[in-house]
Amino acid sequence: MSVDNDTGLTHLAAMAPGRDGTSPPDIGLYAHHSHSKWRTGLPHHHAVATDLSDRMHQGDLCPVRDAITPDTNIHMDAFPPAALAQVCIELLNGVRP
């Protein structure tokens, strides 16, 4: 399993097979951009997104193109460790969050 912020590393991790040849769960963290636009679409790649990311998704928006300034400065600390741990536990137990 990998947990990555929204970068090329997320996409590489999602493409890499595990030791047994299957693809392990990959979780992409999306803070600023639309999670639906930038996730891989693979069944084992899951998105955890902020409210801003979800707004970008629902409106097909881009903070750069559409000059959207978030109300607060959103970084990876927007994802509480306990919430991420819960997503990981669910995925490892075969439950899709």
Side-chain angles (χ1 to χ4, degrees), residues 73-89:
N73 201 5
I74 298 175
H75 297 286
M76 291 299 113
D77 60 357
F79 303 103
L84 287 177
Q86 184 61 42
V87 171
C88 293
I89 289 168

Side-chain angles (χ1 to χ4, degrees), residues 12-82:
L12 290 173
M15 300 295 187
R19 290 183 181 172
D20 63 357
T22 62
S23 297
D26 178 52
I27 301 170
L29 305 176
Y30 298 87
H32 293 96
H33 296 280
S34 169
H35 56 86
S36 61
K37 186 171 282 197
W38 297 108
R39 66 178 177 241
T40 65
L42 297 170
H44 62 280
H45 185 186
H46 308 278
V48 175
T50 62
D51 290 340
L52 175 62
S53 173
D54 203 46
R55 271 192 10 225
M56 300 297 108
H57 156 72
Q58 291 179 12
D60 189 27
L61 302 172
C62 171
V64 176
R65 178 192 69 210
D66 299 313
I68 296 171
T69 305
D71 296 336
T72 58
N73 201 5
I74 298 175
H75 297 286
M76 291 299 113
D77 60 357
F79 303 103

